[in-house]
């Protein structure tokens, strides 16, 4: 992949605390999606999906949500959580069965995008963390 130049959280109303948690480099979750922008202009949208299992992480070149979804964009490129990845060549690969954890990594750090909330498999959310919580049996 090319250099990661921007990270945007696309959040539903009431999910704004994720922006503050990213600024403090804390584990956080939300029901919207992330838009990763690369130096070559490509955007990659990451969110929770229902395939290959009900709670998985998916990537697309366009939004996972309908155009009329009430999502608000927040640029978190300057946050502490993303500091080791912004401006770096990054790779993305799944590190858990059934696409439930996507690792975004560079030579200087990584973040995990998980399809479970605080260790539970039953939430339609994306959890952003450095170390995946141990999942509970659903």
């Amino acid at each position: 992949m090319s250099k990661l130049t921007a990270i945007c959280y696309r959040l539903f109303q009431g999910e704004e605390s994720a922006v503050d948690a990213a600024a403090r480099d804390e584990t956080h979750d939300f029901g919207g999606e992330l838009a990763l922008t690369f130096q070559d202009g490509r955007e990659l949208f990451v969110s929770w999906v229902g395939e290959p299992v009900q709670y998985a992480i998916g990537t697309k070149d366009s939004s996972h949500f309908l155009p009329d979804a009430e999502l608000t964009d927040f640029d978190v490129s300057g946050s502490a959580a993303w500091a080791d990845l912004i401006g770096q060549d990054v790779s993305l690969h799944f590190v858990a069965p059934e696409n439930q954890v996507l690792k975004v990594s560079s030579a200087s750090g990584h973040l995990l995008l998980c399809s479970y909330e605080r260790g539970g498999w039953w939430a339609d959310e994306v959890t952003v963390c450095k170390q995946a919580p141990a999942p509970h049996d659903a």
Side-chain angles (χ1 to χ4, degrees), residues 4-114:
L4 182 63
T5 58
I7 301 97
C8 178
Y9 285 1
R10 305 192 70 233
L11 305 176
F12 290 106
Q13 185 175 0
E15 295 183 326
E16 296 82 3
S17 62
V19 175
D20 294 332
R24 294 187 304 269
D25 197 17
E26 297 173 353
T27 295
H28 52 285
D29 49 63
F30 49 88
E33 65 186 352
L34 299 87
L36 308 177
T37 303
F38 297 91
Q39 187 175 28
D40 61 6
R42 187 170 78 96
E43 279 189 304
L44 184 68
F45 293 82
V46 181
S47 190
W48 54 272
V49 295
E51 295 177 3
V53 294
Q54 184 173 355
Y55 304 109
I57 292 291
T59 62
K60 298 177 42 169
D61 292 332
S62 60
S63 177
H64 291 266
F65 295 90
L66 296 173
D68 63 349
E70 294 185 20
L71 295 166
T72 303
D73 293 352
F74 294 89
D75 186 342
V76 295
S77 303
S79 69
W82 290 93
D84 291 338
L85 300 172
I86 196 74
Q88 302 293 315
D89 286 315
V90 297
S91 64
L92 285 78
H93 62 281
F94 289 101
V95 296
E98 301 174 324
N99 296 0
Q100 292 177 315
V101 179
L102 178 66
K103 185 175 186 179
V104 182
S105 58
S106 71
S108 57
H110 76 275
L111 278 177
L112 303 175
L113 307 177
C114 309

